[in-house]
Amino acid sequence: MHLPLTALEGEPRLTGWRDSVGAPVALRARPPGGTHAGMPALILVCWNMWIGRGNLEPVLARARAGARASAHRAPIVVLLQEAYRAGDAVPAPSGRGVGAVDFSRRAFPEHDIVTTARRLGLNLVYAPSMRNGTHRSDRGSAILSSLPLEHAAAWELPYCYQRRVAVAATVRIGERRLRVASAHLDPRGGSARDLLGVLGRGAQASELVRGLLDGAGEVPIVLGADLNLSRGRREPAWQALARAGFTHGVPAREPAWRHTFHRAPRLLLDWVLVRDPVGALARVDVHRLDEHPADRGPYVFGSDHHPLVARIEAAPALVAAEAAG
């Protein structure tokens, strides 16, 4: 299955980054109209996997175990950042200088995203952003789903510190279409003028919004992202998302947790945001998933980020009306 990738024009700095990664992946593991067809709720997970070190299987088990009884068998959608892919699909090192530091092959497990999707029987779209040093592997954004992934696409964000690629796809909750997307903004800037990356993230968020709204119409959108907001909601990146109508959830509650990045300094970096212009979603309840009840330990399910878990319900009137139509 082809995954279209929109590349930025006029960015010669990105040529080496593009040449050093493998092709995007679109894996169809289940036929359209599978066992979840028509269900008016789904479970959504957003997680930065720390270059594939996070172990997704216990996260999904905990996400399902924490769902209400009525949603325990609901379909699941997973929005990942720093998903990891290794093997011959990634080109051998070219010597062009991109990704000189070897982030991989340390004393941590590395969970290949394609292997994981196949083992779990999930549909997958994966778009690599960058390679992992000299090791024949890359990392990027991914969507896994027990529902069919329709109209999948990936697009580059403006270059700041590293190459970044966002991915999106459409699923159906009840009979309603829902656009889901995963993105990862830069943690810092690439110039003395923008050391903290505030300006770069602002430009990336604006392009992220453009790609999300392109042809979206009134379809609701759920974005799971590591926004890397070092200055919080004062940043232009947050303001660009807010102007486009992205809020905390339905209803729009402020998060109760103070951090999602687990190491020092503990920061609030990860978000599940919703844009629902016509009220198609009845509820989007988001919570942070902790491996230890007291939030102890060096890692969270192997990652340095907490997963966020959301239960999403379609509006009953819309489900009934569309089913009747």
Side-chain angles (χ1 to χ4, degrees), residues 201-217:
R201 283 190 294 275
Q204 289 175 340
S206 294
E207 180 64 16
L208 175 61
V209 165
R210 186 208 60 77
L212 289 172
L213 299 188
D214 185 20

Side-chain angles (χ1 to χ4, degrees), residues 117-134:
R118 287 182 171 141
R119 184 172 62 251
L120 296 176
L122 297 175
N123 298 289
L124 168 70
V125 293
Y126 165 71
S129 293
M130 65 197 80
R131 74 177 300 117
N132 301 310
T134 57

